[in-house]
Amino acid sequence: MEIDVSDATNSRSLNHLFKKLGHDLVEIRVRSLQNLLSKLEHQIITLDDLVQEKLLCVHLLEWFNKESCPMREEVFQLLLKLSKHSSAKLLLIEVGAADFLLQLRDDSPAEQWRSIDEILEQLYYLPDYKQVQEAARRTTSAHHLIHHSGSAQQSDVLEQQEEGIQKASQRKLKLNEEIQPDGPAISHLTGDFFGKTFINTNSMEDAPYYQLKESTKDGFLFVSFPWVPLTATDEHVLSSTDRSLRSLNAEHVVTSCEFLKDVVLLDFPAEVLLQRPAVIQSLVLLLDSTLDQDLVHSAAHCLTAVVIHLLRRLAFWRDPDFYTLKTDFTTSLLLERSMSMSSASPASSPRPFVPGEVDLRHRGDGKDRETSGSSSSSIAYSRYDTSLHDPTASLRSASQASRPDMGSPLSETHDPAATGLLTPNVTLPQFCMGVLSSTLHLLGDCSLEVLVKVCELLHWLMQLVEECISPALWTKQSPLARETAATLLTVIHEAGALLLSLKEARDQQDLSLCRQKHVCVSLLLTRLLGTVLLPDQTSSLFPNNSRIVLSTILTDLPLIDVCKDIPETVGKYLAAMDGQAYETYMQCLSICSAIKKCCQFLMEFQQRSGRESLMLQLASDSLPCLPYHQHPLFVKYCVELSSDVCRESHPVASLVIDSRRLLLQLLSYCKVEVQLSAYQACLEITENSLHVNHAAEPYSRACERTCFLINRDILYCICVSGICNESLKISRCAEKLVRHLLKSKLLMSGSLWKQFTECAVIILPVLQAYTSNSSDFGRCLLEFVDIPLSNEASRISSLEILRGNIRLLFSPDYRVRVDAASRLVTLLSREERSLHKLPDLTSADVACLPNLFVLEQARFLEPCSTSVIQVEGMLKIYEIFIGDGGDVLVQRAACDQLAVILEDMTLHGEFLKQGGLAYVQEQLNGAFQKDSTADVYIQFIPGCVKMLRFLAHHDYSLRHLLAHNPHIYYQMLRASLLYQDDVETCYNIAHLLILLLFDEVANVYVSLEEDTTNFVKRGFSLPHIIAKMYKLPFKAVTHQPNVFQQLPLHTDPDPLLQDPWVGCLRVQWNVCWHNSMQSLVEHLRLNTEEKARAIDFPDHLRLSAAEEVVVKSGAIAPSLRYAVDCINNATSHDAAREGLQQLLLYLILHSGCLRMDSELPETVHWEQAFSRFLDVQPNSPADEELVRHLLVATAAVMTVTPALSQSTSVWVWKILSSNNSPLQSRLLPPDEDTDDQTAIVASSKELLLLIRTYGSKVNAPASKDLPAGGLVQSLFSYLSVAGATHFYNLAALESTLSCLFYITSSHGWSIGCGEQNGFQFCCDFVQTLLEVLASFHRGRGGISMSFMGCGVTRSTTLCLQHLAHEMAHSYSDVNDWQKQWLYSTTAADQADVDCTNEELGAGMSWIIPLWTYRDTEVRAAGLGIAVGLTHTSVGRKLMSASCHSIPGGLWGAALSFLLDTSEASIVKEQACLLLVNLICEPLEVTADITDDSSSWLGPVVKDEDSAVS
């Protein structure tokens, strides 16, 4: 244990100093305090050394309890410094400093109140947790003394901090309850502004501050929203909606879904449904395939809307412009006096037009204020269930907990606080997992219409998953992380099982629909894996059978054709899970690439483009896929290409080499079928080219087509791998090919025949192995080496005839040997001076010649050995051998001794250096001469032959030299006849002849001896076919030919020939054969006869009927085009609707791709098909229903398309705004007596949705020829039909106002209002919007805490803001246009523009409540209206008059918003712009502030106590 002595000493001295601060003597206390302050001043100690000292805090507070307490201000300042530090603040709170200072303040002089208040303010301000952690880290590191005790001490510190935070939170909560009786504070963000977790201050007791903050590190990007309190009315709306969703009446359920989607979600924040999840649970329960499809469709549509609104709320909370800490909208400085003054104003409404007024008096007039709900719900907090369970079960339990029994006392009193305490807040991850799991179950059995909505739901839901869950989830141990991880695993496994079941159950269901579901699940899995899982986590989380699922997705070529991200995304997970499966996948990719090159080659060759270089490259790259397609046409084209390349007059050398390499690969291919096709193609070209008909033509060059075969390697390959092939067909074909060439001397040109014979001679050792008298091919080979007649030209040279016939002496066929022996005797007799050479052929026994070199048992080669006689000894013996006049017997003995010594190849070099080879040849020449010395030389023949054998066997250069010396062959034949009875000599002769006769095909191998000499040994090796077909005298080393260019063999069994890979390769072949997926699908849609005529490849490459449906239904881009064609060619309403459903489905599936082709929706030209119906007036309910579907589809296209093209924008704008467009009539409600009223209302609803979608995608009208004024007028007409202000259709009204909000967002929209004057239209528009605002804001009694009608208020306020800026921009030349914004409940007040200043202000009183509305957008838009109206002096005075009841007036209001640190930036921006407009007005310094004239005054500061301004 290591102790820091200096730190320990410093700590003891400080503790001693702290004790003195509590001493009874004042002098000691003062000196101790001065000492401490001096050390701080001179930085001997720092504040970090004091923040953990509880004793210091106690004695500083007790300082004021002493009878004499000097230096009070210094103690206050030290306490203030400590209170600004989070750790010391917690200690002060713990010892009760807040209560102590409150009491001390009452007993202290006024001049010290400020110091006390500053300390209290710091104590009441709850520190950020990051500061707490940082402080703990600093102070712990400063105070710990030992390494092992540091962590324990830090743990104690954190426990103290947590306890202090909880206590502070309780005090803060009580303080909030005292100051804010009408509602709780909106939860503030605890992290940075873009923090992923929101902490409700009301939940601090049950969820400590630091725990919820840490949830951002538990694998979640976002967990839950701030708690939203609701009034009793809002709670009743949600509960009644939930009851309707659980109704047994299907119509009620569908209506409730529409109400929830069209009204509730536009009024209420979407997070309310998570915090009170009964409605969500009811919707999830409706995702059941056993229920009516209309119910399921409505529920899925509604859940989609919920998800979209949750995404919008996420964007709202993450937008810096909307971030606010404002928690109370009822105690604003703008309202404290405006409530009382506006109620006393004679021009104001009988009820105060103020949102959030606190008035608990029961008036009995039906207009009581609803404040109990909001205030009682202030203690409600959000939390989630930490147990691991199914998400749907959690939603179910949440629903049951949040809905009390309707017969219980709780339901009668409806205590929202109690409900909030019972409600488990469903977190965003739980919601996503619950909906995702239920949707997967529904996917297994649903109709096409439901599938469209389910795919749309999954599309938006995955975006929500991406926003709230991160891959770090799997390593976290929090309850929510474990629950979500377990659910994710279940979902992924269920999706995989569903994917496989859809693939296997195709024959049992509608094949096309099943395939579409398969595509949907594949995209879902791809996106889910890429979002929540890292590849290195795959192997530990998923079983090995998951590789089947991943392999199935990776082999879905129709899907990958559009979704290019699938191979990259899914491939890395397969690699992490199963390396062998990934290797198979990579092989499949390689084969698919080769198939593409193969089809390109076939098309290129058929076009006869003449680009041989490109075709050779394509053909070479295509070879890896040949075992899988085995298309004979490919092999035939390759052979023809090789023939075309080599037949040129001046062929390119590199192309010739490449073509022959390609041919070699085909001739020696591993598949028998490929080899047979190659040989057949070669034979066909040869027979056609070397034909008698061509030979009759004088200038025919047809024979040149066989040039590609006139090559040593090609012929050698044919002989070695073709003629002796195990396949009888290949063998016969190769024999025919070679035989035809051998017999084509008269059919070839002279140069070509010469070239052929030169190549044939080289491979003659191999070719003669097939010589026989029993077959045409064998007899042809026998004739090839026959001795020509005297008047006949020889096929080959006389030397090669001699060598060829000697070679036949080693044939296993005795009759062949006899024929060869007879020819050799003839050749010996024709040798030069043969009559003067031994033996005499007339008396010699030549009958033994056929069997002379054929041994009963082949000998093994002698191992290389080292002679005991070294170079010196060998040279002495050599001198004896070559000596003149010596004893013949001694010389013969020396010769035999040298033959034995030369077994050691290390002595060969010195022997040759001494001229030994020449002397041996000289001895052999003299041995066969008929003279007096012949008997002497004959004795040396056995030894010389043996020496030549050893020298030639180990010296390849010598072997090459001797092989082309005809004398050596004659000598060996004569020697064998002379020594026919000497077996050893005959063996040596046969051995030497083998070395020389097979020199052309022999290889030299090099090896290293494992001894100290480490010399190089050069050996002799024969092709395996030679050793097999000839009767060799010794067992030679053999080798396989290395010229065959064979491709690597695949494993057996080949995984690519099994599912799902083989199907992938088959689809790839068909796609490449038709050049694209689009062309393939178009081909598959032909009738059977047309398809059969168009296909020209083997049956095993053709798609089955099921595979055809898989391709047609899985190819997204072609299916989109086909759906458009179906709509364009539809002959009935059902056919058109079917095409629309298909179009919607594939558009949504296309949008699910991570890297989608954004231009694809534009390339299908769907606008033309839609115009067929949208440009015609509907005449029946069926027409109206079809129009509705078309509008839905148009909106969906714009929604899923990232960016609209100019043509699409113009087309949509034209059908919306054109005066002669049939859709214009849909903006007016139908007459009540209309038969198709229901259909028209439905189409009108979708039309409004389309307008809203278009407005959100396009900032300005796409066509200048069609201004927005006409469309705004139509929408305005739709808005004005309502009649009584309390009888609005909420759904239609909110949709209309939303459309107006988007359309009026750009300047100049009022131009082109038709016959009506634009300014007058704007005036009418203002009054209508103010009437709507009064009905849904003022008409409800100014209840700002209720969300009902909030959507209408928001859209109306935004429209008014746009309208104000439009009038200021386009009609600035109109005098007093701002007075058109005056609004009163009485028509007389509204019409009178010559009112007093106070009356004018009352006419603008409707704007003030908007500034304090709970919705940030409404507050900003309300101030934006004021900005628009204050562009001119009249507007500024008008707005100033309307704010006379606000402290500080208009100036005070603007400054209040601008200086409010808790207000949102977007609101403060509008306040700043308002101040800019106010400053533009020159001040009238001479005006009296008490004067009621219209003088323009600047900001007035008034002392409330003295009433002095």
Side-chain angles (χ1 to χ4, degrees), residues 704-948:
E704 294 180 357
R705 293 200 62 197
T706 60
C707 288
F708 73 104
L709 295 174
I710 312 304
N711 177 264
R712 170 191 171 179
D713 293 337
I714 300 295
L715 294 175
Y716 185 70
C717 179
I718 294 174
C719 296
V720 173
S721 66
I723 299 176
C724 66
N725 198 287
E726 296 178 356
S727 173
L728 186 59
K729 292 182 179 180
I730 296 177
S731 177
R732 289 179 177 177
C733 190
E735 287 181 1
K736 289 181 181 180
L737 177 61
V738 177
R739 184 182 63 189
H740 196 88
L741 291 173
L742 292 173
K743 291 184 176 182
S744 298
K745 178 180 179 180
L746 300 178
L747 302 176
M748 294 184 186
S749 62
S751 59
L752 186 61
W753 174 255
K754 181 181 180 181
Q755 184 181 356
F756 170 69
T757 55
E758 290 175 355
C759 295
V761 165
I762 297 175
I763 65 164
L764 199 56
V766 179
L767 196 58
Q768 283 189 291
Y770 304 103
T771 306
S772 69
N773 285 312
S774 59
S775 66
D776 292 339
F777 179 61
R779 288 189 292 271
C780 181
L781 292 173
L782 191 59
E783 293 175 0
F784 190 71
V785 294
D786 196 3
I787 302 174
L789 299 176
S790 58
N791 58 350
E792 182 183 2
S794 175
R795 293 184 179 88
I796 55 179
S797 66
S798 58
L799 173 62
E800 295 303 330
I801 293 176
L802 174 63
R803 296 179 72 213
N805 283 285
I806 297 175
R807 203 178 287 121
L808 292 179
L809 293 179
F810 296 95
S811 172
D813 190 339
Y814 175 74
R815 293 182 296 174
V816 172
R817 296 200 302 270
V818 171
D819 291 341
S822 64
R823 295 175 183 174
L824 289 173
V825 171
T826 302
L827 291 174
L828 285 173
S829 64
R830 294 181 180 181
E831 184 186 8
E832 183 181 359
R833 301 182 76 250
S834 63
L835 297 177
H836 301 281
K837 294 182 180 181
L838 295 177
D840 188 356
L841 297 179
T842 59
S843 60
D845 185 11
V846 295
C848 66
L849 190 57
N851 296 323
L852 198 58
F853 300 137
V854 178
L855 305 181
E856 294 181 0
Q857 187 69 32
R859 296 186 183 183
F860 289 97
L861 292 174
E862 302 90 343
C864 294
S865 59
T866 303
S867 176
V868 296
I869 299 177
Q870 298 303 315
V871 176
E872 295 79 4
M874 186 266 294
L875 292 177
K876 292 179 180 180
I877 297 174
Y878 176 72
E879 290 177 357
I880 297 174
F881 173 55
I882 64 175
D884 295 333
D887 189 354
V888 174
L889 295 178
V890 174
Q891 289 180 331
R892 177 183 176 183
C895 179
D896 294 339
Q897 186 67 26
L898 280 174
V900 175
I901 292 174
L902 288 179
E903 288 185 15
D904 185 357
M905 62 177 295
T906 61
L907 301 176
H908 290 183
E910 187 63 29
F911 178 79
L912 294 174
K913 183 178 179 182
Q914 298 298 326
L917 177 62
Y919 188 79
V920 168
Q921 289 178 327
E922 181 182 350
Q923 293 295 319
L924 289 175
N925 290 332
F928 301 108
Q929 301 297 324
K930 290 182 179 181
D931 52 23
S932 59
T933 60
D935 294 337
V936 176
Y937 287 107
I938 288 177
Q939 301 178 29
F940 294 101
I941 289 177
C944 290
V945 170
K946 190 172 184 178
M947 281 189 284
L948 282 179

Side-chain angles (χ1 to χ4, degrees), residues 121-158:
E121 182 180 358
Q122 290 297 325
L123 294 179
Y124 284 138
Y125 176 73
L126 195 61
D128 185 78
Y129 180 58
K130 289 182 178 179
Q131 299 176 3
V132 176
Q133 283 187 317
E134 181 65 20
R137 184 189 63 80
R138 292 198 308 265
T139 53
T140 302
S141 62
H143 287 280
H144 78 280
L145 301 178
I146 58 174
H147 295 297
H148 299 291
S149 64
S151 59
Q153 181 177 355
Q154 185 175 5
S155 176
D156 295 339
V157 171
L158 286 177

Side-chain angles (χ1 to χ4, degrees), residues 556-610:
D556 195 343
L557 293 185
L559 179 60
I560 295 175
D561 181 65
V562 174
C563 303
K564 309 295 185 183
D565 55 287
I566 287 181
E568 178 183 353
T569 304
V570 181
K572 55 187 179 183
Y573 293 99
L574 182 63
M577 181 180 298
D578 190 337
Q580 184 176 359
Y582 182 73
E583 183 179 354
T584 303
Y585 166 64
M586 296 306 296
Q587 293 177 0
C588 182
L589 285 183
S590 176
I591 300 302
C592 286
S593 178
I595 288 176
K596 183 177 180 180
K597 299 291 182 61
C598 178
C599 293
Q600 289 178 357
F601 166 75
L602 294 176
M603 301 304 173
E604 189 77 20
F605 189 85
Q606 288 174 354
Q607 295 173 4
R608 298 290 179 176
S609 62

Side-chain angles (χ1 to χ4, degrees), residues 949-1220:
R949 170 203 156 192
F950 285 127
L951 291 173
H953 191 100
H954 296 290
D955 190 342
Y956 63 91
S957 59
L958 175 62
R959 187 166 66 245
H960 295 331
L961 180 65
L962 295 177
H964 297 283
N965 184 0
H967 300 291
I968 193 70
Y969 295 107
Y970 287 115
Q971 292 172 358
M972 292 303 104
L973 287 174
R974 293 181 182 278
S976 63
L977 292 175
L978 292 174
Y979 283 91
Q980 57 183 300
D981 296 329
D982 188 349
V983 178
E984 185 64 27
T985 301
C986 288
Y987 168 77
N988 289 328
I989 293 172
H991 193 142
L992 178 60
L993 287 175
I994 291 297
L995 296 176
L996 303 182
L997 293 172
F998 295 97
D999 176 68
E1000 292 86 349
V1001 294
N1003 277 358
V1004 178
Y1005 67 90
V1006 179
S1007 62
L1008 295 178
E1009 291 288 350
E1010 296 180 357
D1011 58 15
T1012 56
T1013 59
N1014 196 27
F1015 60 87
V1016 176
K1017 177 183 69 175
R1018 301 186 180 275
F1020 176 79
S1021 173
L1022 290 175
H1024 180 72
I1025 188 67
I1026 299 293
K1028 179 181 178 182
M1029 300 294 290
Y1030 288 95
K1031 292 186 69 66
L1032 302 180
F1034 61 92
K1035 295 183 179 296
V1037 178
T1038 62
H1039 63 268
Q1040 291 294 341
N1042 59 355
V1043 297
F1044 295 163
Q1045 307 290 332
Q1046 291 183 348
L1047 296 175
L1049 297 177
H1050 298 282
T1051 58
D1052 190 19
D1054 190 348
L1056 293 182
L1057 296 177
Q1058 303 172 2
D1059 285 332
W1061 310 106
V1062 65
C1064 174
L1065 297 180
R1066 185 159 48 246
V1067 173
Q1068 174 71 4
W1069 173 269
N1070 283 267
V1071 171
C1072 297
W1073 183 265
H1074 293 88
N1075 294 323
S1076 66
M1077 185 67 68
Q1078 177 69 36
S1079 301
L1080 172 61
V1081 173
E1082 292 176 356
H1083 164 76
L1084 295 178
R1085 298 192 188 280
L1086 300 175
N1087 57 50
T1088 307
E1089 296 181 359
E1090 292 176 339
K1091 285 193 293 185
R1093 289 196 300 267
I1095 295 179
D1096 186 18
F1097 47 78
D1099 292 339
H1100 71 275
L1101 296 176
R1102 301 178 183 229
L1103 298 176
S1104 64
E1107 287 175 329
E1108 289 185 0
V1109 177
V1110 167
V1111 172
K1112 289 188 293 185
S1113 302
I1116 295 179
S1119 297
L1120 274 174
R1121 297 183 176 92
Y1122 180 70
V1124 173
D1125 292 339
C1126 290
I1127 299 171
N1128 214 11
N1129 302 324
T1131 57
S1132 65
H1133 292 89
D1134 291 339
R1137 284 195 295 270
E1138 177 73 16
L1140 279 173
Q1141 293 294 335
Q1142 296 286 349
L1143 177 65
L1144 281 176
L1145 175 61
Y1146 286 109
L1147 275 174
I1148 296 169
L1149 292 177
H1150 176 258
S1151 65
C1153 305
L1154 295 181
R1155 292 199 301 266
M1156 61 179 178
D1157 182 7
S1158 59
E1159 298 179 356
L1160 177 60
E1162 306 298 337
T1163 60
V1164 298
H1165 305 297
W1166 54 274
E1167 303 95 336
Q1168 299 176 4
F1170 283 26
S1171 297
R1172 176 190 173 192
F1173 303 99
L1174 294 179
D1175 291 344
V1176 180
Q1177 188 70 34
N1179 295 321
S1180 65
D1183 289 348
E1184 291 288 351
E1185 182 66 15
L1186 181 57
V1187 169
R1188 184 181 72 85
H1189 284 284
L1190 287 166
L1191 295 175
V1192 170
T1194 305
V1197 171
M1198 291 193 296
T1199 301
V1200 299
T1201 303
L1204 292 180
S1205 66
Q1206 180 66 20
S1207 60
T1208 302
S1209 300
V1210 171
W1211 178 81
V1212 175
W1213 183 249
K1214 180 179 179 181
I1215 65 172
L1216 291 177
S1217 61
S1218 179
N1219 293 330
N1220 56 358

